Amino acid sequence: SDLQKQEERGELLQPLIFVSLVLCSILLYFRVSLMDPGFVKAEEEEKADKSEEQSVVIPLVPSNIKLRRCGYCMVKQPMRARHCQLCQHCVRRYDHHCPWMENCIGEKNHPFFIVYLSMQLVVLLWGGQVAWSGLYFELSWEWLNHNIFLLTSFFLIVIFTIVAVLLLISHLYLISCNTTTWEFMSHHRISYLRHSELENPFDQGVILNLWRFFC
């Protein structure tokens, strides 16, 4: 049959891989959207984590910087945490609140967010290549009527691809510097950065920064 011939020629492999990538990106979306981004728990539940955190980051920060209590949820904020008024929680290593995900991006789901962006970029590039391969250009209204859907899809894919590339590059740059979007945008308002002698007291070199983030 035609299906068997296509399978023998390997023509079914690419659509299956593409569908698998789309399904993976959907699963990653729900994973990032629904998981705990690193909500700060009650103070007594944080004692076990505090000693480990201090050994990594606090020696690089002036000793007169004290951990403060959040004025909204009344928990003692670990360093690099911030309260999100949309989520109504303080989030560890707060990066930003993502409206697409309807969730904060923080300590626990930030690596999954980067994997999701990478997967989404692969799907968009592949989809753009498929859409482009189906286009042949003619200067006529008849051609435009027959190809308007494909042409619109291609331009939308291009726009989303540009957005995904810019997001991925900016996040990878910040990760390589061991800083967050919030720290980068609000450096002058954050006490542990404003009073530090170093521009970024958490930077431990690109390789170690990436290792600590992903591993």
Side-chain angles (χ1 to χ4, degrees):
S1 66
D2 292 339
L3 191 62
Q4 288 177 330
K5 291 179 180 178
Q6 288 179 336
E7 186 177 1
E8 290 173 359
R9 292 195 299 265
E11 294 178 2
L12 296 179
L13 184 61
Q14 288 191 357
L16 287 174
I17 294 175
F18 181 77
V19 171
S20 299
L21 288 173
V22 171
L23 290 175
C24 286
S25 68
I26 293 172
L27 291 174
L28 281 168
Y29 172 85
F30 285 109
R31 170 76 172 174
V32 176
S33 179
L34 299 176
M35 74 179 294
D36 176 1
F39 294 135
V40 179
K41 302 174 185 178
E43 182 179 349
E44 53 271 16
E45 297 176 15
E46 296 298 320
K47 290 179 181 179
D49 296 329
K50 191 181 295 183
S51 59
E52 180 182 352
E53 182 181 52
Q54 287 178 339
S55 66
V56 174
V57 299
I58 290 184
L60 301 174
V61 179
S63 57
N64 60 339
I65 303 298
K66 303 297 182 183
L67 300 182
R68 69 184 186 91
R69 191 171 293 278
C70 176
Y72 295 96
C73 52
M74 302 308 294
V75 297
K76 185 170 286 187
Q77 285 185 337
M79 195 165 289
R80 311 190 79 179
R82 183 175 188 262
H83 184 86
C84 175
Q85 295 193 27
L86 294 173
C87 292
Q88 294 296 309
H89 283 286
C90 286
V91 180
R92 283 180 168 274
R93 202 181 182 279
Y94 175 87
D95 189 85
H96 69 287
H97 183 92
C98 182
W100 290 0
M101 298 290 178
E102 295 187 2
N103 195 11
C104 280
I105 305 301
E107 182 179 74
K108 291 185 178 179
N109 65 350
H110 201 172
F112 291 102
F113 180 70
I114 298 301
V115 176
Y116 166 75
L117 281 179
S118 303
M119 186 77 69
Q120 197 65 45
L121 181 58
V122 172
V123 171
L124 286 168
L125 290 172
W126 196 334
Q129 187 271 329
V130 171
W132 178 259
S133 66
L135 287 172
Y136 60 95
F137 293 96
E138 293 180 8
L139 295 177
S140 66
W141 284 109
E142 183 179 356
W143 174 88
L144 186 61
N145 287 331
H146 282 87
N147 292 274
I148 186 65
F149 178 75
L150 190 59
L151 198 61
T152 303
S153 299
F154 176 74
F155 282 119
L156 286 174
I157 288 172
V158 168
I159 292 171
F160 287 128
T161 300
I162 293 172
V163 172
V165 167
L166 293 176
L167 277 173
L168 187 59
I169 290 175
S170 62
H171 276 277
L172 288 175
Y173 169 74
L174 293 176
I175 291 166
S176 68
C177 300
N178 196 3
T179 190
T180 64
T181 302
W182 173 58
E183 290 171 342
F184 181 78
M185 300 294 291
S186 306
H187 189 280
H188 61 288
R189 295 196 294 117
I190 301 173
S191 59
Y192 59 81
L193 295 179
R194 189 173 68 248
H195 298 297
S196 174
E197 296 179 359
L198 302 174
E199 181 70 20
N200 178 13
F202 306 108
D203 187 6
Q204 296 178 304
V206 174
I207 295 176
L208 190 56
N209 290 339
L210 293 173
W211 174 264
R212 287 191 179 280
F213 181 83
F214 288 106
C215 305

